[in-house]
Coordinates of all heavy atoms in Angstrom, one line a residue:
S1 N -17.7 -10.5 -28.9 CA -17.1 -10.0 -27.7 C -17.0 -8.5 -27.7 O -17.3 -7.8 -28.7 CB -15.7 -10.6 -27.6 OG -14.7 -9.9 -28.3
N2 N -16.5 -7.9 -26.6 CA -16.4 -6.4 -26.5 C -15.5 -5.8 -27.5 O -15.7 -4.8 -28.1 CB -15.9 -6.1 -25.1 CG -17.0 -5.3 -24.3 OD1 -18.1 -5.1 -24.8 ND2 -16.6 -4.8 -23.2
V3 N -14.3 -6.5 -27.7 CA -13.3 -6.0 -28.7 C -13.9 -5.9 -30.1 O -13.7 -4.9 -30.8 CB -12.1 -6.9 -28.7 CG1 -11.1 -6.5 -29.7 CG2 -11.5 -7.0 -27.3
V4 N -14.6 -6.9 -30.5 CA -15.3 -6.9 -31.8 C -16.3 -5.7 -31.9 O -16.3 -5.0 -32.9 CB -15.9 -8.2 -32.1 CG1 -16.7 -8.2 -33.4 CG2 -14.9 -9.4 -32.2
Q5 N -17.1 -5.6 -30.9 CA -18.1 -4.5 -30.9 C -17.5 -3.1 -30.9 O -17.9 -2.2 -31.6 CB -19.1 -4.6 -29.7 CG -20.3 -3.7 -29.8 CD -21.1 -3.9 -31.1 OE1 -21.5 -5.0 -31.4 NE2 -21.3 -2.8 -31.8
E6 N -16.4 -3.0 -30.2 CA -15.6 -1.7 -30.2 C -15.1 -1.4 -31.6 O -15.2 -0.2 -32.0 CB -14.4 -1.8 -29.2 CG -14.9 -1.6 -27.8 CD -13.7 -1.8 -26.8 OE1 -12.5 -1.6 -27.2 OE2 -14.0 -2.2 -25.7
R7 N -14.6 -2.4 -32.3 CA -14.1 -2.2 -33.6 C -15.2 -1.8 -34.6 O -15.1 -0.9 -35.4 CB -13.3 -3.4 -34.1 CG -12.7 -3.1 -35.5 CD -11.7 -4.2 -35.9 NE -10.5 -4.2 -35.1 CZ -9.3 -4.6 -35.5 NH1 -9.2 -5.0 -36.7 NH2 -8.3 -4.5 -34.7
V8 N -16.4 -2.5 -34.5 CA -17.5 -2.3 -35.3 C -18.0 -0.8 -35.1 O -18.3 -0.1 -36.1 CB -18.7 -3.3 -35.0 CG1 -20.0 -2.8 -35.7 CG2 -18.3 -4.6 -35.5
D9 N -18.1 -0.4 -33.9 CA -18.5 1.0 -33.5 C -17.5 2.0 -34.1 O -17.8 3.0 -34.6 CB -18.6 1.2 -32.0 CG -19.7 0.4 -31.4 OD1 -20.6 -0.1 -32.2 OD2 -19.7 0.2 -30.2
A10 N -16.2 1.7 -34.0 CA -15.1 2.6 -34.5 C -15.2 2.7 -36.0 O -15.0 3.8 -36.5 CB -13.7 2.1 -34.0
I11 N -15.5 1.6 -36.7 CA -15.6 1.7 -38.1 C -16.8 2.6 -38.5 O -16.7 3.4 -39.4 CB -15.8 0.3 -38.7 CG1 -14.5 -0.5 -38.6 CG2 -16.2 0.3 -40.2 CD1 -14.6 -2.0 -38.9
G12 N -17.9 2.4 -37.8 CA -19.1 3.3 -38.1 C -18.7 4.8 -37.9 O -19.1 5.6 -38.7
Q13 N -18.0 5.0 -36.7 CA -17.6 6.4 -36.5 C -16.7 6.9 -37.5 O -16.8 8.1 -37.9 CB -16.9 6.4 -35.1 CG -17.6 7.1 -34.0 CD -16.7 7.1 -32.8 OE1 -16.2 6.1 -32.3 NE2 -16.5 8.4 -32.3
F14 N -15.8 6.1 -38.0 CA -14.9 6.5 -39.1 C -15.6 6.9 -40.3 O -15.3 8.0 -40.9 CB -13.9 5.3 -39.4 CG -13.1 5.6 -40.6 CD1 -12.0 6.5 -40.6 CD2 -13.4 5.0 -41.8 CE1 -11.3 6.8 -41.8 CE2 -12.7 5.3 -43.0 CZ -11.6 6.2 -42.9
Y15 N -16.6 6.2 -40.8 CA -17.3 6.5 -42.0 C -18.2 7.8 -41.8 O -18.3 8.6 -42.7 CB -18.2 5.4 -42.4 CG -17.4 4.4 -43.3 CD1 -16.9 3.2 -42.7 CD2 -17.2 4.6 -44.7 CE1 -16.2 2.3 -43.5 CE2 -16.5 3.7 -45.4 CZ -16.0 2.5 -44.8 OH -15.3 1.6 -45.6
L16 N -18.7 8.0 -40.6 CA -19.6 9.1 -40.3 C -18.9 10.4 -40.0 O -19.4 11.5 -40.2 CB -20.6 8.7 -39.1 CG -21.6 7.6 -39.5 CD1 -22.2 7.2 -38.2 CD2 -22.6 8.1 -40.5
T17 N -17.7 10.3 -39.4 CA -17.1 11.5 -38.8 C -16.5 12.5 -39.9 O -16.2 12.1 -41.0 CB -15.9 11.2 -37.9 OG1 -15.5 12.4 -37.2 CG2 -14.7 10.6 -38.6
E18 N -16.4 13.7 -39.5 CA -15.7 14.8 -40.3 C -14.5 15.3 -39.6 O -13.8 16.1 -40.1 CB -16.7 15.9 -40.6 CG -17.9 15.6 -41.4 CD -18.9 16.7 -41.5 OE1 -18.6 17.7 -42.3 OE2 -20.0 16.6 -40.9
D19 N -14.2 14.6 -38.5 CA -13.1 15.1 -37.6 C -11.8 14.4 -38.1 O -11.6 13.2 -37.9 CB -13.4 14.6 -36.2 CG -12.3 14.9 -35.2 OD1 -11.2 15.3 -35.6 OD2 -12.6 14.7 -34.0
R20 N -10.9 15.3 -38.6 CA -9.7 14.8 -39.2 C -8.8 14.1 -38.2 O -8.1 13.1 -38.5 CB -9.0 15.9 -40.0 CG -7.7 15.4 -40.5 CD -7.3 16.1 -41.8 NE -6.0 15.7 -42.2 CZ -5.3 16.3 -43.2 NH1 -5.9 17.3 -43.9 NH2 -4.1 16.0 -43.5
N21 N -8.8 14.6 -37.0 CA -8.0 14.1 -35.9 C -8.4 12.6 -35.6 O -7.6 11.7 -35.5 CB -8.1 14.9 -34.7 CG -7.1 14.6 -33.6 OD1 -5.9 14.3 -34.0 ND2 -7.4 14.7 -32.4
F22 N -9.7 12.4 -35.5 CA -10.2 11.0 -35.3 C -9.9 10.1 -36.5 O -9.4 9.0 -36.3 CB -11.8 11.1 -35.1 CG -12.3 9.7 -35.0 CD1 -12.4 9.1 -33.7 CD2 -12.7 8.9 -36.1 CE1 -12.9 7.8 -33.6 CE2 -13.2 7.6 -35.9 CZ -13.3 7.1 -34.7
I23 N -10.0 10.6 -37.7 CA -9.7 9.9 -38.9 C -8.3 9.4 -38.9 O -8.0 8.2 -39.1 CB -10.0 10.7 -40.2 CG1 -11.5 11.1 -40.3 CG2 -9.5 10.0 -41.4 CD1 -11.8 12.2 -41.2
E24 N -7.3 10.3 -38.6 CA -5.9 9.9 -38.6 C -5.6 8.9 -37.5 O -4.8 8.0 -37.7 CB -5.1 11.2 -38.5 CG -5.1 12.0 -39.8 CD -4.3 13.3 -39.8 OE1 -3.4 13.4 -38.9 OE2 -4.5 14.1 -40.7
K25 N -6.1 9.1 -36.3 CA -5.9 8.2 -35.2 C -6.5 6.8 -35.5 O -5.8 5.8 -35.2 CB -6.6 8.7 -33.9 CG -5.7 9.8 -33.2 CD -6.4 10.1 -31.9 CE -5.6 11.2 -31.2 NZ -6.4 11.9 -30.2
F26 N -7.7 6.8 -36.1 CA -8.3 5.5 -36.5 C -7.4 4.7 -37.5 O -7.2 3.5 -37.3 CB -9.7 5.8 -37.1 CG -10.4 4.5 -37.6 CD1 -11.1 3.8 -36.8 CD2 -10.2 4.2 -38.9 CE1 -11.8 2.6 -37.3 CE2 -10.8 3.0 -39.4 CZ -11.6 2.2 -38.6
L27 N -7.0 5.4 -38.5 CA -6.1 4.8 -39.6 C -4.9 4.2 -39.0 O -4.5 3.1 -39.3 CB -5.8 5.8 -40.7 CG -6.9 6.3 -41.5 CD1 -6.4 7.4 -42.4 CD2 -7.7 5.2 -42.3
E28 N -4.3 4.9 -38.0 CA -3.1 4.4 -37.4 C -3.4 3.3 -36.4 O -2.7 2.2 -36.4 CB -2.4 5.6 -36.7 CG -0.9 5.2 -36.3 CD -0.1 6.4 -36.0 OE1 -0.2 7.4 -36.8 OE2 0.6 6.4 -35.0
Q29 N -4.4 3.5 -35.5 CA -4.7 2.5 -34.5 C -5.0 1.1 -35.1 O -4.5 0.1 -34.6 CB -5.9 3.0 -33.7 CG -6.3 2.0 -32.6 CD -7.5 2.5 -31.8 OE1 -7.9 3.6 -31.9 NE2 -8.0 1.6 -30.9
Y30 N -5.8 1.1 -36.2 CA -6.1 -0.2 -36.8 C -5.3 -0.5 -38.0 O -5.6 -1.5 -38.7 CB -7.6 -0.1 -37.2 CG -8.5 -0.1 -36.0 CD1 -9.2 1.1 -35.6 CD2 -8.7 -1.2 -35.2 CE1 -10.0 1.2 -34.5 CE2 -9.5 -1.1 -34.0 CZ -10.1 0.1 -33.7 OH -10.9 0.1 -32.6
N31 N -4.2 0.2 -38.2 CA -3.3 -0.1 -39.3 C -4.0 -0.3 -40.6 O -3.8 -1.3 -41.3 CB -2.4 -1.3 -38.9 CG -1.1 -1.4 -39.7 OD1 -0.7 -0.4 -40.2 ND2 -0.6 -2.6 -39.9
V32 N -4.9 0.6 -41.0 CA -5.7 0.5 -42.2 C -4.9 0.7 -43.4 O -4.1 1.6 -43.5 CB -6.9 1.5 -42.1 CG1 -7.7 1.4 -43.4 CG2 -7.7 1.4 -40.9
S33 N -5.0 -0.2 -44.4 CA -4.3 -0.2 -45.7 C -5.2 0.3 -46.8 O -4.8 1.1 -47.7 CB -3.7 -1.5 -46.0 OG -2.7 -1.9 -45.1
Y34 N -6.5 -0.2 -46.8 CA -7.4 0.1 -47.8 C -8.8 0.5 -47.2 O -9.2 -0.1 -46.2 CB -7.6 -1.1 -48.8 CG -6.4 -1.4 -49.6 CD1 -5.4 -2.3 -49.1 CD2 -6.1 -0.7 -50.8 CE1 -4.3 -2.6 -49.8 CE2 -4.9 -1.0 -51.5 CZ -4.0 -1.9 -51.0 OH -2.9 -2.2 -51.7
I35 N -9.5 1.4 -47.9 CA -10.8 1.8 -47.5 C -11.7 1.5 -48.7 O -11.4 1.9 -49.8 CB -10.9 3.3 -47.1 CG1 -9.9 3.6 -46.0 CG2 -12.3 3.7 -46.8 CD1 -9.5 5.1 -45.9
I36 N -12.8 0.8 -48.4 CA -13.8 0.6 -49.4 C -15.0 1.5 -49.2 O -15.5 1.7 -48.1 CB -14.3 -0.9 -49.4 CG1 -13.1 -1.8 -49.7 CG2 -15.4 -1.1 -50.4 CD1 -13.3 -3.3 -49.5
M37 N -15.4 2.1 -50.3 CA -16.5 3.0 -50.4 C -17.5 2.5 -51.4 O -17.2 2.8 -52.6 CB -15.9 4.4 -50.7 CG -16.9 5.5 -50.6 SD -17.6 5.6 -49.0 CE -19.2 6.3 -49.5
G38 N -18.5 1.8 -51.0 CA -19.4 1.2 -52.0 C -20.9 1.5 -51.6 O -21.1 2.3 -50.8
Q39 N -21.8 0.8 -52.3 CA -23.2 1.0 -52.0 C -23.6 0.8 -50.6 O -24.3 1.5 -50.0 CB -24.0 0.1 -52.9 CG -24.6 0.7 -54.1 CD -25.4 -0.3 -55.0 OE1 -25.0 -1.4 -55.2 NE2 -26.6 0.2 -55.4
L40 N -23.0 -0.3 -50.0 CA -23.3 -0.6 -48.6 C -22.9 0.5 -47.7 O -23.7 0.8 -46.8 CB -22.5 -1.9 -48.3 CG -23.2 -2.9 -47.3 CD1 -24.5 -3.3 -47.8 CD2 -22.3 -4.1 -47.1
E41 N -21.7 1.0 -47.9 CA -21.2 2.1 -47.0 C -22.1 3.3 -47.1 O -22.4 4.0 -46.1 CB -19.8 2.4 -47.3 CG -18.8 1.3 -46.9 CD -18.8 0.1 -47.7 OE1 -19.2 0.2 -48.9 OE2 -18.4 -1.0 -47.2
R42 N -22.5 3.6 -48.3 CA -23.4 4.8 -48.6 C -24.7 4.6 -47.9 O -25.3 5.6 -47.4 CB -23.6 5.1 -50.1 CG -22.3 5.5 -50.8 CD -22.5 5.6 -52.3 NE -21.3 5.2 -53.0 CZ -20.2 6.0 -53.1 NH1 -20.2 7.2 -52.6 NH2 -19.2 5.6 -53.8
V43 N -25.3 3.4 -47.8 CA -26.5 3.1 -47.2 C -26.4 3.2 -45.7 O -27.2 3.8 -45.0 CB -27.1 1.7 -47.6 CG1 -28.3 1.3 -46.8 CG2 -27.5 1.7 -49.1
F44 N -25.4 2.5 -45.1 CA -25.2 2.4 -43.7 C -24.7 3.7 -43.0 O -24.9 4.0 -41.9 CB -24.3 1.3 -43.3 CG -25.0 -0.1 -43.3 CD1 -24.8 -0.9 -44.4 CD2 -25.9 -0.4 -42.3 CE1 -25.4 -2.2 -44.4 CE2 -26.5 -1.6 -42.3 CZ -26.3 -2.5 -43.4
F45 N -23.9 4.5 -43.8 CA -23.3 5.7 -43.2 C -23.5 6.9 -44.1 O -22.6 7.6 -44.5 CB -21.8 5.5 -43.1 CG -21.4 4.2 -42.4 CD1 -20.8 3.1 -43.2 CD2 -21.7 3.9 -41.1 CE1 -20.5 1.9 -42.6 CE2 -21.3 2.7 -40.5 CZ -20.7 1.7 -41.2
P46 N -24.8 7.3 -44.3 CA -25.1 8.4 -45.2 C -24.7 9.7 -44.4 O -24.6 9.8 -43.2 CB -26.6 8.3 -45.4 CG -27.1 7.7 -44.2 CD -26.0 6.7 -43.8
G47 N -24.5 10.8 -45.2 CA -24.3 12.1 -44.6 C -23.0 12.7 -45.1 O -22.2 12.2 -45.9
A48 N -22.7 13.9 -44.4 CA -21.5 14.7 -44.8 C -20.2 14.0 -44.6 O -19.2 14.3 -45.2 CB -21.6 16.0 -44.1
G49 N -20.2 13.0 -43.7 CA -18.9 12.3 -43.4 C -18.4 11.6 -44.6 O -17.2 11.4 -44.7
L50 N -19.2 11.3 -45.6 CA -18.7 10.6 -46.8 C -18.0 11.5 -47.7 O -17.2 11.0 -48.6 CB -19.9 9.9 -47.5 CG -20.6 8.8 -46.7 CD1 -21.7 8.1 -47.5 CD2 -19.6 7.8 -46.1
D51 N -18.2 12.8 -47.6 CA -17.5 13.8 -48.4 C -16.0 13.8 -48.2 O -15.3 14.1 -49.1 CB -18.0 15.2 -48.2 CG -19.5 15.4 -48.5 OD1 -20.1 14.5 -49.2 OD2 -20.1 16.3 -48.0
K52 N -15.6 13.3 -47.1 CA -14.1 13.3 -46.8 C -13.4 12.4 -47.7 O -12.2 12.6 -48.0 CB -13.9 12.8 -45.3 CG -14.1 11.4 -45.1 CD -13.7 11.0 -43.6 CE -14.4 9.8 -43.1 NZ -15.8 10.0 -42.8
F53 N -14.0 11.4 -48.3 CA -13.2 10.4 -49.1 C -12.7 11.1 -50.4 O -11.5 10.9 -50.7 CB -14.1 9.2 -49.4 CG -14.3 8.4 -48.2 CD1 -15.6 8.4 -47.6 CD2 -13.3 7.7 -47.6 CE1 -15.8 7.7 -46.4 CE2 -13.5 7.0 -46.4 CZ -14.7 7.0 -45.8
E54 N -13.5 11.9 -51.0 CA -13.0 12.7 -52.2 C -12.2 13.8 -51.7 O -11.1 14.1 -52.3 CB -14.1 13.1 -53.1 CG -14.6 11.9 -53.9 CD -15.5 12.3 -55.1 OE1 -15.4 13.4 -55.6 OE2 -16.2 11.4 -55.5
A55 N -12.6 14.5 -50.6 CA -11.9 15.7 -50.2 C -10.4 15.4 -49.7 O -9.5 16.2 -49.9 CB -12.6 16.3 -49.0
L56 N -10.2 14.2 -49.1 CA -8.9 13.9 -48.6 C -8.1 12.9 -49.6 O -7.0 12.4 -49.2 CB -9.0 13.3 -47.2 CG -9.5 14.3 -46.2 CD1 -9.8 13.6 -44.8 CD2 -8.6 15.4 -46.0
D57 N -8.7 12.7 -50.7 CA -8.0 11.9 -51.8 C -6.7 12.6 -52.2 O -6.8 13.7 -52.5 CB -8.9 11.6 -53.0 CG -8.4 10.7 -54.0 OD1 -7.5 9.9 -53.6 OD2 -8.8 10.7 -55.1
G58 N -5.6 11.9 -52.1 CA -4.3 12.5 -52.4 C -3.7 13.1 -51.2 O -2.5 13.5 -51.3
I59 N -4.4 13.1 -50.1 CA -3.8 13.6 -48.8 C -3.6 12.5 -47.8 O -2.5 12.2 -47.4 CB -4.7 14.8 -48.3 CG1 -4.9 15.9 -49.3 CG2 -4.2 15.3 -46.9 CD1 -6.0 16.9 -49.0
L60 N -4.7 11.9 -47.4 CA -4.6 10.8 -46.5 C -4.6 9.4 -47.1 O -4.2 8.4 -46.6 CB -5.7 10.8 -45.4 CG -5.7 12.0 -44.4 CD1 -6.8 11.9 -43.4 CD2 -4.4 12.1 -43.7
W61 N -5.2 9.4 -48.3 CA -5.3 8.1 -49.1 C -5.4 8.5 -50.6 O -5.5 9.7 -50.9 CB -6.6 7.4 -48.7 CG -7.8 8.2 -48.5 CD1 -8.5 8.9 -49.5 CD2 -8.4 8.6 -47.3 NE1 -9.5 9.6 -49.0 CE2 -9.5 9.4 -47.6 CE3 -8.2 8.2 -46.0 CZ2 -10.4 9.9 -46.6 CZ3 -9.1 8.7 -45.0 CH2 -10.1 9.6 -45.3
S62 N -5.2 7.5 -51.4 CA -5.3 7.7 -52.9 C -6.2 6.7 -53.5 O -6.2 5.5 -53.1 CB -3.9 7.5 -53.5 OG -3.1 8.5 -53.0
E63 N -7.1 7.1 -54.4 CA -8.0 6.2 -55.1 C -7.1 5.3 -56.0 O -6.3 5.7 -56.7 CB -8.9 7.0 -56.0 CG -9.9 6.1 -56.7 CD -10.8 6.9 -57.7 OE1 -11.3 8.0 -57.3 OE2 -11.1 6.5 -58.8
V64 N -7.4 4.0 -55.8 CA -6.6 2.9 -56.6 C -7.6 2.1 -57.4 O -7.1 1.4 -58.3 CB -5.8 2.0 -55.6 CG1 -4.6 2.8 -55.1 CG2 -6.6 1.4 -54.6
Y65 N -8.9 2.2 -57.2 CA -9.8 1.4 -58.0 C -11.2 2.1 -58.0 O -11.6 2.6 -57.0 CB -10.0 0.0 -57.4 CG -11.0 -0.9 -58.0 CD1 -10.7 -1.6 -59.2 CD2 -12.3 -0.9 -57.5 CE1 -11.6 -2.4 -59.8 CE2 -13.3 -1.8 -58.1 CZ -12.9 -2.5 -59.2 OH -13.9 -3.3 -59.8
R66 N -11.9 2.0 -59.2 CA -13.2 2.6 -59.2 C -14.0 1.7 -60.2 O -13.5 1.5 -61.3 CB -13.2 4.0 -59.7 CG -14.6 4.7 -59.7 CD -14.5 6.1 -60.2 NE -14.0 7.0 -59.1 CZ -14.7 7.7 -58.3 NH1 -16.1 7.7 -58.4 NH2 -14.2 8.4 -57.4
S67 N -15.2 1.3 -59.8 CA -16.1 0.6 -60.7 C -17.5 0.9 -60.3 O -17.9 0.6 -59.1 CB -15.8 -0.9 -60.7 OG -16.8 -1.6 -61.5
G68 N -18.3 1.5 -61.1 CA -19.7 1.9 -60.8 C -19.6 2.8 -59.6 O -18.9 3.8 -59.5
S69 N -20.3 2.5 -58.5 CA -20.4 3.3 -57.3 C -19.4 2.9 -56.2 O -19.4 3.4 -55.1 CB -21.8 3.3 -56.7 OG -22.1 2.1 -56.2
T70 N -18.5 1.9 -56.6 CA -17.5 1.4 -55.6 C -16.1 2.0 -55.9 O -15.7 2.1 -57.0 CB -17.4 -0.1 -55.7 OG1 -18.7 -0.7 -55.4 CG2 -16.4 -0.6 -54.7
V71 N -15.5 2.6 -54.8 CA -14.2 3.1 -54.9 C -13.3 2.5 -53.8 O -13.8 2.3 -52.7 CB -14.2 4.7 -54.7 CG1 -12.8 5.3 -55.0 CG2 -15.2 5.3 -55.7
I72 N -12.1 2.2 -54.1 CA -11.2 1.7 -53.1 C -10.0 2.7 -53.0 O -9.5 3.1 -54.1 CB -10.7 0.3 -53.5 CG1 -11.8 -0.7 -53.5 CG2 -9.6 -0.2 -52.4 CD1 -11.4 -2.1 -53.9
Y73 N -9.7 3.1 -51.8 CA -8.6 4.0 -51.5 C -7.5 3.3 -50.8 O -7.8 2.4 -49.9 CB -9.1 5.1 -50.6 CG -10.2 6.0 -51.3 CD1 -11.5 5.8 -51.0 CD2 -9.8 7.0 -52.1 CE1 -12.5 6.6 -51.5 CE2 -10.8 7.8 -52.7 CZ -12.2 7.6 -52.4 OH -13.1 8.4 -53.0
E74 N -6.3 3.6 -51.2 CA -5.2 3.0 -50.4 C -4.7 4.1 -49.5 O -4.4 5.3 -49.9 CB -4.0 2.6 -51.4 CG -2.9 2.0 -50.7 CD -1.8 1.5 -51.6 OE1 -1.8 1.8 -52.8 OE2 -0.9 0.7 -51.1
V75 N -4.5 3.8 -48.2 CA -4.1 4.7 -47.2 C -2.6 5.0 -47.4 O -1.8 4.1 -47.6 CB -4.4 4.2 -45.8 CG1 -3.8 5.1 -44.7 CG2 -5.9 3.9 -45.6
K76 N -2.3 6.3 -47.3 CA -0.9 6.7 -47.4 C -0.2 6.5 -46.1 O -0.8 6.7 -45.1 CB -0.8 8.2 -47.8 CG -1.2 8.5 -49.2 CD -1.2 10.0 -49.5 CE -1.4 10.3 -50.9 NZ -0.2 10.3 -51.7
R77 N 1.1 6.1 -46.1 CA 1.8 5.9 -44.9 C 2.7 7.1 -44.6 O 3.3 7.7 -45.4 CB 2.7 4.6 -45.0 CG 1.9 3.4 -44.9 CD 1.4 3.1 -43.5 NE 0.3 2.1 -43.5 CZ -0.8 2.4 -42.9 NH1 -1.1 3.6 -42.3 NH2 -1.8 1.5 -42.9

């Protein structure tokens, strides 16, 4: 359905964007608790947008798990 496709598109935008305003709105709109950054995300969403995960660690989210190339961040409230 349209709602599902909109969410899929928004998730893609979230991983690709460098726009902090969009990032904060997305986290709130979808009430995101955890973000997964693994091999799959690196393949599907390559580019500078992925730099935000380490750059904003401790600011918008905190790393709570790491194993190999997979990192899980918990979103700060």
